Amino acid sequence: MATAVPVAGMSAAEWEARQQLAACYRIFDHMGWSELIYNHITLRVPDEDGAFLINPFGLLYSEVTASNLVKIDIDGHILDGSAYPVNRAGFTQHSVFHRHLPDAHCVIHTHTTAAMAVSATREGLRPTNFYAAAFAGRIAYHDFEGITLRPEEGERLIANLGERRLMMLRNHGSLVMADTLPKAFLLHWMLQRACEIQVATGAAGTPVDIPEEVIAVHQRDIGGVQLPVGPGVPDFRAMVRLIDRIDPSWKT
């Protein structure tokens, strides 16, 4: 990833995770997926049970660095002595997935215009384009209950998610999680593209659903166009190279 020196007393694994997550925040800012100081991308700290990293509340995504990310536990306690606060809504939502889902290594929640628009429709995401076809039958839905502050909503989030790892929060936005950050990044990118194209299609004319038998073939074969280094890895590396040329301060 990068070669900046880790903070004294920090494990190499944690520093690598911090740099990976800081790069992701900068990428999201570059892509226009940030929302002032709000929304969150969280990442588990390797080899530390129940610990994960989250953005410092009050900073723009363009200000996030490896060293100013906040390490908290699943009960909301700050573990690294950070002077920055943590957004309560972000903690409430993300901690429930990190607590109950062993494979939720990275959790992404955004309020992009396209995803919020699709989440606010009765139909949700429809299988009308290349990217949406990859998600047919693989997206969960959760009804809007207001800002996520109440712990009991976590039970309903987990129940509605089930075995899926992508969710449209109705009238709210999108939620993506995966066992690696690069995979979560790629899934978010694909979901965002699917939503953007659906919104554009609705403005262009009458959408046409892709037949179920074609969707099955598409989902079977889509992995065959990826490089064999892991889902999202080459995509994420390419974006890291881009943001590193723009401003390498994320790695400090």
Side-chain angles (χ1 to χ4, degrees):
M1 172 74 72
T3 57
V5 178
V7 174
M10 186 180 296
S11 71
E14 179 181 339
W15 185 245
E16 182 177 357
R18 282 176 172 270
Q19 289 193 317
Q20 187 181 60
L21 183 56
C24 194
Y25 274 104
R26 296 296 185 94
I27 292 167
F28 271 51
D29 183 68
H30 177 77
M31 297 296 290
W33 297 338
S34 57
E35 188 87 347
L36 286 178
I37 60 172
Y38 303 100
N39 295 168
H40 310 280
I41 312 164
T42 56
L43 184 65
R44 280 202 180 105
V45 178
D47 306 319
E48 291 192 38
D49 188 40
F52 64 95
L53 300 166
I54 191 169
N55 52 317
F57 192 31
L59 296 189
L60 298 168
Y61 282 18
S62 60
E63 298 175 306
V64 171
T65 67
S67 58
N68 68 26
L69 286 162
V70 183
K71 181 165 69 169
I72 61 176
D73 64 20
I74 52 178
D75 295 313
H77 302 118
I78 293 177
L79 302 175
D80 58 1
S82 176
Y84 289 102
V86 170
N87 186 313
R88 184 179 166 198
F91 160 72
T92 301
Q93 184 183 87
H94 287 239
S95 65
V96 72
F97 299 115
H98 286 304
R99 182 190 298 271
H100 295 290
L101 305 176
D103 59 327
H105 183 64
C106 178
V107 181
I108 299 172
H109 170 53
T110 59
H111 287 179
T112 67
T113 300
M116 288 190 77
V118 171
S119 77
T121 64
R122 189 178 305 278
E123 299 84 1
L125 187 67
R126 292 181 57 184
T128 61
N129 64 70
F130 179 95
Y131 295 109
F135 297 123
R138 298 180 177 180
I139 296 183
Y141 289 84
H142 176 74
D143 288 341
F144 186 56
E145 299 186 23
I147 191 168
T148 312
L149 293 178
R150 300 171 306 282
E152 66 269 16
E153 186 178 353
E155 299 176 9
R156 293 183 288 279
L157 282 163
I158 292 291
N160 289 331
L161 184 68
E163 297 302 314
R164 295 167 180 167
R165 293 298 179 262
L166 297 100
M167 177 178 275
M168 297 301 289
L169 301 168
R170 291 198 182 275
N171 312 102
H172 187 172
S174 64
L175 188 67
V176 174
M177 59 197 77
D179 55 354
T180 70
L181 186 150
K183 182 177 179 181
F185 163 76
L186 181 59
L187 287 170
H188 182 277
W189 182 85
M190 292 175 62
L191 182 58
Q192 174 65 14
R193 291 289 291 138
C195 290
E196 290 171 347
I197 296 166
Q198 177 166 315
V199 171
T201 303
T206 304
V208 177
D209 284 0
I210 299 170
E212 290 185 5
E213 62 271 20
V214 178
I215 289 174
V217 172
H218 182 65
Q219 293 186 351
R220 182 197 68 195
D221 294 345
I222 196 167
V225 299
Q226 297 177 353
L227 291 171
V229 290
V233 171
D235 312 81
F236 187 70
R237 286 175 177 170
M239 292 305 298
V240 170
R241 293 193 299 271
L242 175 62
I243 57 108
D244 199 37
R245 290 194 296 269
I246 297 170
D247 179 4
S249 65
W250 57 270
K251 69 182 72 171
T252 62

